[in-house]
Amino acid sequence: MVYVIPAIFLVVFVFAAVKKVKIYDEFSAGVKEAVSFTISLIPCLAAIFMMCAVFEKSGLSNALTNLLSPAFGFLGIPPELTKLVLIKPFSGSGSLAYLNAIIAEHGADSYIARCACVCFGSSETVFYISAVYFAGLKVKKLAVPIVIVLISTLISTILACLLCNIM
């Protein structure tokens, strides 16, 4: 495995030499595009970070947790995971803090901790990834793909808890 990355570089350099590509010029052009792309991401990422802070500080997170806990329980998701499930699409570090709290409270080998770990590992920070991906594509119609991903995340969470219950 130690030789994989050097081997990839070697293959790329040999391929570029065969095709007579000016490697340094192409690399510089790619870096120039990456810098402008990164700068274009700043407003999207700032909006996502502010949205996370407002969601938590406004009390909306706690209100939504209390409101959805019974529904999640009905779907087979332990009510203790509600806040984790709600925070994960917004913030990876915030959901990691909830995951750590769940493990500390319930124990690493508990059903709830296993569910929390599987749910954490099998989902993504939807809004952050959407901001990065769609900023690069300059797509403005975000609602449909985001709703589809959120529904998929909920279904995968339900299935993860079901599998943890079986195992």
Side-chain angles (χ1 to χ4, degrees):
M1 202 63 187
V2 173
Y3 300 110
V4 171
I5 299 296
I8 290 172
F9 274 106
L10 184 61
V11 168
V12 168
F13 282 121
V14 169
F15 184 76
V18 169
K19 294 289 187 176
K20 296 181 180 159
V21 173
K22 296 180 180 178
I23 297 172
Y24 184 77
D25 293 341
E26 293 300 321
F27 176 78
S28 297
V31 168
K32 184 179 177 182
E33 288 177 25
V35 169
S36 64
F37 174 69
T38 303
I39 290 171
S40 74
L41 284 179
I42 291 173
C44 298
L45 295 178
I48 295 300
F49 294 140
M50 284 187 275
M51 186 172 59
C52 289
V54 167
F55 184 68
E56 187 64 35
K57 299 292 182 188
S58 68
L60 182 59
S61 172
N62 289 332
L64 213 50
T65 298
N66 294 335
L67 180 70
L68 293 177
S69 286
F72 280 11
F74 177 76
L75 293 173
I77 302 170
E80 296 86 355
L81 302 185
T82 303
K83 198 161 205 169
L84 174 69
V85 173
L86 291 176
I87 294 296
K88 181 64 178 185
F90 293 100
S91 169
S93 59
S95 59
L96 181 60
Y98 287 118
L99 176 64
N100 287 332
I102 289 168
I103 292 171
E105 183 178 337
H106 298 282
D109 292 331
S110 68
Y111 164 70
I112 291 171
R114 286 194 320 267
C115 283
C117 289
V118 173
C119 293
F120 179 84
S122 65
S123 61
E124 189 53 72
T125 51
V126 174
F127 293 100
Y128 176 80
I129 297 298
S130 297
V132 172
Y133 180 73
F134 288 120
L137 294 178
K138 300 196 180 351
V139 173
K140 301 300 178 202
K141 297 180 180 179
L142 303 175
V144 173
I146 289 176
V147 167
I148 290 170
V149 172
L150 289 174
I151 290 170
S152 300
T153 300
L154 178 63
I155 292 169
S156 69
T157 301
I158 293 167
L159 292 174
C161 291
L162 175 67
L163 288 173
C164 286
N165 196 17
I166 294 170
M167 298 179 149

CSV table of all heavy atoms in Angstrom, one decimal, residues 4-35:
chain,number,residue,atom,x,y,z
A,4,VAL,N,1.4,2.7,-3.6
A,4,VAL,CA,0.3,3.0,-4.5
A,4,VAL,C,0.4,4.4,-5.0
A,4,VAL,O,0.3,4.7,-6.2
A,4,VAL,CB,-1.0,2.7,-3.8
A,4,VAL,CG1,-2.2,3.2,-4.6
A,4,VAL,CG2,-1.2,1.2,-3.5
A,5,ILE,N,0.5,5.4,-4.0
A,5,ILE,CA,0.6,6.8,-4.4
A,5,ILE,C,1.8,7.1,-5.3
A,5,ILE,O,1.6,7.7,-6.4
A,5,ILE,CB,0.6,7.7,-3.2
A,5,ILE,CG1,-0.7,7.5,-2.4
A,5,ILE,CG2,0.7,9.2,-3.6
A,5,ILE,CD1,-2.0,7.9,-3.1
A,6,PRO,N,3.0,6.6,-4.9
A,6,PRO,CA,4.1,6.9,-5.9
A,6,PRO,C,3.9,6.2,-7.2
A,6,PRO,O,4.3,6.8,-8.3
A,6,PRO,CB,5.3,6.3,-5.1
A,6,PRO,CG,4.9,6.3,-3.7
A,6,PRO,CD,3.5,6.1,-3.7
A,7,ALA,N,3.3,5.0,-7.2
A,7,ALA,CA,3.0,4.4,-8.5
A,7,ALA,C,2.1,5.2,-9.4
A,7,ALA,O,2.2,5.3,-10.6
A,7,ALA,CB,2.5,3.0,-8.3
A,8,ILE,N,1.0,5.7,-8.7
A,8,ILE,CA,0.1,6.6,-9.5
A,8,ILE,C,0.8,7.8,-10.1
A,8,ILE,O,0.6,8.1,-11.3
A,8,ILE,CB,-1.1,7.0,-8.6
A,8,ILE,CG1,-2.0,5.8,-8.3
A,8,ILE,CG2,-1.9,8.1,-9.2
A,8,ILE,CD1,-3.1,6.1,-7.2
A,9,PHE,N,1.6,8.4,-9.3
A,9,PHE,CA,2.4,9.6,-9.8
A,9,PHE,C,3.3,9.2,-11.0
A,9,PHE,O,3.3,9.9,-12.0
A,9,PHE,CB,3.2,10.2,-8.7
A,9,PHE,CG,2.5,11.2,-7.9
A,9,PHE,CD1,2.1,10.9,-6.6
A,9,PHE,CD2,2.2,12.5,-8.4
A,9,PHE,CE1,1.4,11.9,-5.8
A,9,PHE,CE2,1.5,13.4,-7.7
A,9,PHE,CZ,1.1,13.1,-6.4
A,10,LEU,N,3.9,8.1,-10.8
A,10,LEU,CA,4.8,7.6,-11.9
A,10,LEU,C,4.0,7.3,-13.2
A,10,LEU,O,4.4,7.7,-14.3
A,10,LEU,CB,5.6,6.3,-11.4
A,10,LEU,CG,6.6,5.8,-12.4
A,10,LEU,CD1,7.7,6.8,-12.7
A,10,LEU,CD2,7.2,4.5,-11.9
A,11,VAL,N,2.9,6.6,-13.1
A,11,VAL,CA,2.0,6.4,-14.2
A,11,VAL,C,1.6,7.7,-14.9
A,11,VAL,O,1.6,7.8,-16.1
A,11,VAL,CB,0.8,5.5,-13.8
A,11,VAL,CG1,-0.2,5.4,-14.9
A,11,VAL,CG2,1.3,4.1,-13.5
A,12,VAL,N,1.2,8.6,-14.1
A,12,VAL,CA,0.7,9.9,-14.6
A,12,VAL,C,1.9,10.6,-15.4
A,12,VAL,O,1.7,11.1,-16.5
A,12,VAL,CB,0.1,10.8,-13.5
A,12,VAL,CG1,-0.1,12.2,-14.0
A,12,VAL,CG2,-1.2,10.2,-13.0
A,13,PHE,N,3.1,10.6,-14.8
A,13,PHE,CA,4.2,11.3,-15.4
A,13,PHE,C,4.6,10.6,-16.7
A,13,PHE,O,4.9,11.3,-17.7
A,13,PHE,CB,5.4,11.4,-14.4
A,13,PHE,CG,5.3,12.5,-13.4
A,13,PHE,CD1,5.3,12.2,-12.1
A,13,PHE,CD2,5.1,13.8,-13.8
A,13,PHE,CE1,5.1,13.1,-11.1
A,13,PHE,CE2,5.0,14.8,-12.8
A,13,PHE,CZ,5.0,14.5,-11.5
A,14,VAL,N,4.6,9.3,-16.7
A,14,VAL,CA,5.0,8.5,-17.9
A,14,VAL,C,3.9,8.8,-19.0
A,14,VAL,O,4.2,9.0,-20.2
A,14,VAL,CB,5.1,7.0,-17.6
A,14,VAL,CG1,5.2,6.2,-18.9
A,14,VAL,CG2,6.3,6.8,-16.7
A,15,PHE,N,2.6,8.7,-18.6
A,15,PHE,CA,1.5,9.0,-19.6
A,15,PHE,C,1.6,10.4,-20.1
A,15,PHE,O,1.5,10.6,-21.3
A,15,PHE,CB,0.2,8.8,-18.9
A,15,PHE,CG,-1.0,8.9,-19.8
A,15,PHE,CD1,-1.3,7.9,-20.7
A,15,PHE,CD2,-1.8,10.0,-19.8
A,15,PHE,CE1,-2.4,8.0,-21.5
A,15,PHE,CE2,-2.9,10.1,-20.6
A,15,PHE,CZ,-3.2,9.1,-21.5
A,16,ALA,N,1.9,11.4,-19.3
A,16,ALA,CA,2.1,12.8,-19.7
A,16,ALA,C,3.3,12.9,-20.7
A,16,ALA,O,3.2,13.6,-21.7
A,16,ALA,CB,2.2,13.7,-18.5
A,17,ALA,N,4.3,12.2,-20.4
A,17,ALA,CA,5.5,12.3,-21.2
A,17,ALA,C,5.2,11.7,-22.6
A,17,ALA,O,5.6,12.2,-23.6
A,17,ALA,CB,6.7,11.6,-20.6
A,18,VAL,N,4.5,10.6,-22.6
A,18,VAL,CA,4.2,9.9,-23.9
A,18,VAL,C,3.3,10.8,-24.7
A,18,VAL,O,3.4,10.9,-25.9
A,18,VAL,CB,3.5,8.5,-23.6
A,18,VAL,CG1,2.9,8.0,-24.9
A,18,VAL,CG2,4.5,7.6,-23.0
A,19,LYS,N,2.3,11.5,-24.0
A,19,LYS,CA,1.4,12.4,-24.7
A,19,LYS,C,2.0,13.8,-25.0
A,19,LYS,O,1.3,14.6,-25.5
A,19,LYS,CB,0.1,12.5,-23.9
A,19,LYS,CG,-0.7,11.3,-23.8
A,19,LYS,CD,-1.3,11.0,-25.2
A,19,LYS,CE,-2.3,9.8,-25.0
A,19,LYS,NZ,-3.0,9.5,-26.3
A,20,LYS,N,3.2,14.0,-24.5
A,20,LYS,CA,3.9,15.3,-24.7
A,20,LYS,C,3.2,16.4,-24.0
A,20,LYS,O,3.0,17.5,-24.6
A,20,LYS,CB,4.3,15.5,-26.1
A,20,LYS,CG,5.2,14.5,-26.7
A,20,LYS,CD,5.5,14.7,-28.1
A,20,LYS,CE,6.5,13.6,-28.5
A,20,LYS,NZ,6.5,13.4,-29.9
A,21,VAL,N,2.7,16.2,-22.8
A,21,VAL,CA,2.0,17.2,-22.1
A,21,VAL,C,3.0,17.9,-21.2
A,21,VAL,O,3.9,17.3,-20.6
A,21,VAL,CB,0.9,16.6,-21.2
A,21,VAL,CG1,0.2,17.6,-20.3
A,21,VAL,CG2,-0.2,15.9,-22.0
A,22,LYS,N,2.9,19.3,-21.1
A,22,LYS,CA,3.8,20.1,-20.3
A,22,LYS,C,3.2,20.0,-18.8
A,22,LYS,O,2.2,20.7,-18.5
A,22,LYS,CB,3.9,21.5,-20.7
A,22,LYS,CG,4.5,21.6,-22.1
A,22,LYS,CD,4.6,23.0,-22.5
A,22,LYS,CE,5.3,23.1,-23.9
A,22,LYS,NZ,5.3,24.5,-24.4
A,23,ILE,N,3.7,19.1,-18.0
A,23,ILE,CA,3.2,18.8,-16.7
A,23,ILE,C,3.1,20.0,-15.8
A,23,ILE,O,2.1,20.3,-15.2
A,23,ILE,CB,4.0,17.7,-16.0
A,23,ILE,CG1,3.9,16.4,-16.9
A,23,ILE,CG2,3.5,17.4,-14.6
A,23,ILE,CD1,4.8,15.3,-16.4
A,24,TYR,N,4.2,20.8,-15.7
A,24,TYR,CA,4.2,21.9,-14.8
A,24,TYR,C,3.2,23.0,-15.2
A,24,TYR,O,2.4,23.5,-14.4
A,24,TYR,CB,5.6,22.5,-14.7
A,24,TYR,CG,5.6,23.7,-13.7
A,24,TYR,CD1,5.7,23.4,-12.4
A,24,TYR,CD2,5.6,25.0,-14.1
A,24,TYR,CE1,5.7,24.4,-11.4
A,24,TYR,CE2,5.6,26.0,-13.2
A,24,TYR,CZ,5.6,25.7,-11.8
A,24,TYR,OH,5.6,26.7,-10.9
A,25,ASP,N,3.0,23.2,-16.5
A,25,ASP,CA,2.1,24.2,-17.0
A,25,ASP,C,0.6,23.8,-16.7
A,25,ASP,O,-0.2,24.6,-16.3
A,25,ASP,CB,2.2,24.4,-18.5
A,25,ASP,CG,3.5,25.1,-18.9
A,25,ASP,OD1,4.2,25.7,-18.0
A,25,ASP,OD2,4.0,25.0,-20.1
A,26,GLU,N,0.4,22.5,-16.9
A,26,GLU,CA,-1.0,22.0,-16.6
A,26,GLU,C,-1.3,22.0,-15.1
A,26,GLU,O,-2.4,22.3,-14.7
A,26,GLU,CB,-1.1,20.6,-17.2
A,26,GLU,CG,-1.1,20.5,-18.7
A,26,GLU,CD,-2.2,21.3,-19.3
A,26,GLU,OE1,-3.4,21.3,-18.8
A,26,GLU,OE2,-2.0,21.9,-20.4
A,27,PHE,N,-0.3,21.7,-14.3
A,27,PHE,CA,-0.4,21.7,-12.9
A,27,PHE,C,-0.7,23.1,-12.4
A,27,PHE,O,-1.6,23.4,-11.6
A,27,PHE,CB,0.8,21.2,-12.2
A,27,PHE,CG,0.8,21.3,-10.7
A,27,PHE,CD1,0.1,20.4,-10.0
A,27,PHE,CD2,1.5,22.3,-10.0
A,27,PHE,CE1,0.0,20.5,-8.6
A,27,PHE,CE2,1.4,22.4,-8.7
A,27,PHE,CZ,0.7,21.5,-7.9
A,28,SER,N,0.0,24.1,-13.0
A,28,SER,CA,-0.2,25.5,-12.6
A,28,SER,C,-1.6,26.0,-13.0
A,28,SER,O,-2.3,26.7,-12.3
A,28,SER,CB,0.9,26.4,-13.3
A,28,SER,OG,2.1,26.1,-12.8
A,29,ALA,N,-2.1,25.6,-14.2
A,29,ALA,CA,-3.4,25.9,-14.6
A,29,ALA,C,-4.5,25.3,-13.7
A,29,ALA,O,-5.5,26.0,-13.4
A,29,ALA,CB,-3.6,25.5,-16.1
A,30,GLY,N,-4.2,24.1,-13.3
A,30,GLY,CA,-5.2,23.4,-12.4
A,30,GLY,C,-5.2,24.1,-11.0
A,30,GLY,O,-6.3,24.3,-10.4
A,31,VAL,N,-4.1,24.5,-10.5
A,31,VAL,CA,-4.0,25.3,-9.2
A,31,VAL,C,-4.7,26.6,-9.3
A,31,VAL,O,-5.5,27.0,-8.4
A,31,VAL,CB,-2.5,25.5,-8.8
A,31,VAL,CG1,-2.4,26.4,-7.6
A,31,VAL,CG2,-1.9,24.1,-8.4
A,32,LYS,N,-4.6,27.3,-10.5
A,32,LYS,CA,-5.3,28.6,-10.7
A,32,LYS,C,-6.8,28.4,-10.6
A,32,LYS,O,-7.5,29.2,-10.0
A,32,LYS,CB,-4.8,29.2,-12.0
A,32,LYS,CG,-5.4,30.5,-12.3
A,32,LYS,CD,-4.9,31.1,-13.6
A,32,LYS,CE,-5.6,32.4,-13.9
A,32,LYS,NZ,-5.1,32.9,-15.2
A,33,GLU,N,-7.3,27.3,-11.3
A,33,GLU,CA,-8.7,27.0,-11.2
A,33,GLU,C,-9.2,26.7,-9.8
A,33,GLU,O,-10.3,27.1,-9.4
A,33,GLU,CB,-9.0,25.9,-12.2
A,33,GLU,CG,-9.0,26.3,-13.7
A,33,GLU,CD,-9.2,25.1,-14.6
A,33,GLU,OE1,-9.9,24.1,-14.1
A,33,GLU,OE2,-8.7,25.1,-15.7
A,34,ALA,N,-8.3,25.9,-9.1
A,34,ALA,CA,-8.7,25.5,-7.8
A,34,ALA,C,-8.8,26.7,-6.8
A,34,ALA,O,-9.7,26.7,-6.0
A,34,ALA,CB,-7.7,24.5,-7.2
A,35,VAL,N,-7.9,27.7,-7.0
A,35,VAL,CA,-8.0,28.8,-6.1
A,35,VAL,C,-9.3,29.6,-6.4
A,35,VAL,O,-10.0,30.0,-5.4
A,35,VAL,CB,-6.7,29.7,-6.3
A,35,VAL,CG1,-6.9,31.1,-5.6
A,35,VAL,CG2,-5.5,29.0,-5.8
